[in-house]
Amino acid sequence: MPKPAQKTNLLGLSEAKLVAFFEQLGEKCFRATQLLKWMHQLGVNQFEQMSNISKSLREKLAQVAVIEAPELIEQHNSRDGTRKFLIRVSGGSAVETVFIPDGDRGTLCVSSQVGCALDCSFCATGKQGFNRNLSAAEIIGQVWIAVQSFGQFDVKAGRKVTNVVMMGMGEPLLNFDNVLDAMSLMMHDNAYGISKRRVTLSTAGVVPGLNKMRGLTDVCLAISLHAANDELRNQLVPINKKYPIAQLLDSACQYIESLPDSHRKITIEYTLIDGVNDRLQHANELADLLVNVPVKINLIPFNPFALSDYRRPSYKALKRFQQVLIDRGYITTVRTTRGDDIAAACGQLAGKVNDRTKRSARYQQQVLKIA
C-alpha cells in the first residue's frame, strides 16, 4: 500500500515559494499574502480559523499542508531580562534561541543548524558535534515561538522582537537556502516586517556562501574574526585554514559594496580570551588589518563553559584593548554579557544533539567540499 504524500509545512515557505504552492493548487497568488499574514502576523496555525479564506480552500489546505512550528521544550528567564528557549526539532535533537533586551531594542539570536561542524575552540556549540541543517520552518519557527511568548501576535501588542541576528547554533552560510528563505520572512512586510538594517547574518568565514549572498539579500553582515593573523586564527577558527583572513575580508567588502545603501559597515566580532588574543599587540594588529575596511568592532569577553580551559579577560585588559581601537579611529563597543546565569551568553549555546556524526566526517562534507 503506497504511503500517503507528506504534507507541506507552509511556515517556512518564502513568498515566492508560497505563491508557487498556491499556483499548483490552481489558486490566485494573493492567497500567499493572506497566508503570510495569518501565520506570521497573527500567529494562526489552524486553517479553519482563517476567516477570509473560503471553506472549500481551507479544507483543501488541511488535506495537503500544515503550519507547524518546532516544539518549545523549556523557557528560561534570566534575572537581566534575557530569555532562552530550548526548542525540539524533528529527529529529537534540540536547539537554543535567545532573546536579549536592551532598552527599546529586543534582539533574537537564532540558530541555523543542530550543532556545528566548524569546531571553533572558544564556542560550546562546536564541542557537541554536528547533526544537520535546520529547515526554513525550523529557523523561522524560532522567531514564531519568541513572538508568541511575548504576546506579540496580538494586534494591540507592542513589538518586543525588533532585531534578529543569525548568531545562534551553527554556521548560517552552510545552510544557505534555508537561512535566506527564513530571513526573507523576517523582513517581509506581510510577515514580521523587520528592517533589513535590523537583521544580521554572522559567519565564521564560509567565503563561497558569502560570495553567493551578493544580489540575493541585503541583510547586515557580521564576521566572526577573533584574530588578526592567520596563524592564531587557524587555532581559534579552523575554517580559516580553508579561507584565510585576506580572502574573507575581500569577500565581505565585495558584499557590502554590492548593497544599494553603500554606507553600511561590516561588524567585526572579536572574542577576547585571556592570554590568547587580548594583548596590546593584538589590538594594534587588528587595527592595522582593518585600516581600509568599512567596519565597526564588537568586543566580546569570553564566556566560560565546561569543556574549555579558556578564561575571561580582566576588565583592565578589555578596556585597554578597546581604547587602542578607539584611538585608532574605530567605532568599538563591548558586548555586555547577558544571560550567563542561564547559559545564554555568547559562545555558551549547546542544545542536545542526538545521533551525532563524527565531526571530522561532517567537516569534510560541510566545509571542504562546499561549492
Side-chain angles (χ1 to χ4, degrees), residues 12 38 43 72 92 112 129 159 165 195 202 219 261 299 309 323 340 371:
W38 280 114
L72 176 62
S112 57
R159 176 174 287 187
V165 291
S195 165
S202 174
V219 297
D261 46 340
L299 302 178
D309 294 328
Q323 193 59 53
D340 54 337

Side-chain angles (χ1 to χ4, degrees), residues 176-343:
F176 189 89
D177 292 337
N178 290 333
V179 165
L180 255 65
D181 279 353
M183 291 193 304
S184 74
L185 290 170
M186 296 170 195
M187 296 183 288
H188 200 289
D189 288 342
N190 292 320
Y192 298 94
I194 301 172
S195 165
K196 62 188 178 183
R197 287 182 170 270
R198 292 175 177 263
V199 176
T200 301
L201 182 144
S202 174
T203 179
V206 182
V207 168
L210 186 50
N211 291 339
K212 193 176 175 182
M213 282 174 62
R214 296 200 293 270
L216 295 180
T217 187
D218 55 356
V219 297
C220 295
L221 176 65
I223 298 296
S224 189
L225 192 64
H226 314 298
N229 67 76
D230 286 324
E231 181 180 1
L232 179 56
R233 193 166 193 265
N234 287 346
Q235 300 172 32
L236 299 176
V237 188
I239 196 175
N240 193 73
K241 298 172 187 176
K242 179 71 173 176
Y243 307 114
I245 292 173
Q247 187 178 357
L248 171 59
L249 291 180
D250 180 65
S251 178
C253 287
Q254 289 184 52
Y255 172 74
I256 290 295
E257 290 167 3
S258 75
L259 300 179
D261 46 340
S262 57
H263 298 295
R264 276 200 263 176
K265 296 181 182 293
I266 303 161
T267 299
I268 296 295
E269 298 169 303
Y270 192 102
T271 298
L272 283 162
I273 306 168
D274 180 45
V276 176
N277 64 351
D278 66 337
R279 301 304 189 230
L280 290 179
Q281 68 188 65
H282 299 119
N284 280 300
E285 190 176 23
L286 182 63
D288 291 341
L289 174 70
L290 300 174
V291 68
N292 293 316
V293 184
V295 298
K296 53 186 178 181
I297 302 171
N298 190 12
L299 302 178
I300 308 166
F302 172 73
N303 293 304
F305 58 93
L307 298 177
S308 174
D309 294 328
Y310 287 150
R311 298 184 304 272
R312 188 192 301 260
S314 68
Y315 178 78
K316 181 178 180 180
L318 175 64
K319 298 305 290 185
R320 185 173 56 204
F321 197 102
Q322 181 188 26
Q323 193 59 53
V324 169
L325 296 172
I326 291 173
D327 291 345
R328 294 286 296 271
Y330 293 96
I331 299 170
T332 308
T333 56
V334 174
R335 183 178 298 175
T336 303
T337 299
R338 305 291 296 271
D340 54 337
D341 58 322
I342 55 172

